[in-house]
Amino acid sequence: MEIAKVIIVDDHVIFRKGLTTILNEIDFVKVVGEASNGNELLDLLKKQSADVILMDIKMPVMDGVEATRKVSAKYPGIKIIALTMFEEISYFNKMIEAGASGFLLKKTTSEELQKAINLVLSDESYFSDEFMSSVNLYLKPRQTETTVVLTEREQEVLDLICKGFSNVEISSQLGVSTRTVDGFRARLFEKTGAKNAPNLVMFAIKNGLVK
C-alpha cells in the first residue's frame, strides 16, 4: 500500500500534535505538514503535496469551509475530511457543498481514522456513526415536493452508504457483487441528482430518506 500523505489543519497546537502522533502510528499514513488556518494551509500546499487533509471547521483568518472550497477548486485530487465537534453540526451542508468527503468527531479513534482515510482515498465517503446520529437530530427532514421513489434494495444500499460502509462492505452485507453495488449507487445518484456520495448523504438526510 502506498503511503498516504496527510496534512492536519487545526488552530489548537496540542490537538495537532496529538493527532500527528496517532496518525504516524498507522502503517500507510505519514503526516507531512500542519497548519493553524486556511491561509497557512494554502501556503503549505504550494510546496508540499498531500493526499488527505484533516480540516478543522472553526479557525481564525480563514475557516475550514472557505479553505475546503479553495483547496477543492485548486487541488481537486486532495481528499478532505472535516474534524468536528457536536456544536459544529450546523456546518455539515456548507462543508459538503465546499467539497468535503467525510466527517469525523474530534474524539475519533485510530481505527476510525484509518478507515476514513482508506475510504476517501478510494473515492468513497466516511461519516462516523455518532456524527450521523447527531446530524439526523439536527437536520430535521424538510417538507419537499420532490418525490424520490426507491426500491427496497436501493433503500438498503442508501442506508449503508449513510452509515459509512464501503462498496466492498456493502456487497458483503447484502450478498451481491461490488459491480452490483456500483449499479445501485449510480441509480441513487440519478434519482436524487447527487454528484457524489457526500451529496447523496446530504440529500437523504434533508429529504427524510434515512433515519
Side-chain angles (χ1 to χ4, degrees), residues 55 60 72 77 79 83 87 106 144 149 158 163 170 179 187 200:
M55 184 82 77
S72 296
K79 305 299 182 180
L83 293 170
E87 60 266 25
K106 286 191 174 182
T144 176
V149 179
L158 177 61
K163 289 179 180 177
I170 294 173
R179 180 174 292 183
R187 286 198 289 278
L200 176 63

Side-chain angles (χ1 to χ4, degrees), residues 9 16 21 39 50 57 60 64 99 105 107 110 131 139-140 142 146 154 156 165 172 184 197-198 207:
V9 187
R16 293 202 310 268
T21 299
N39 271 355
I57 296 177
L105 291 175
K107 61 179 184 178
S110 174
F131 176 80
L139 296 176
K140 294 180 180 179
R142 65 188 178 188
T146 302
E154 287 169 349
E156 288 177 321
F165 281 61
S172 175
F184 283 122
N207 292 277

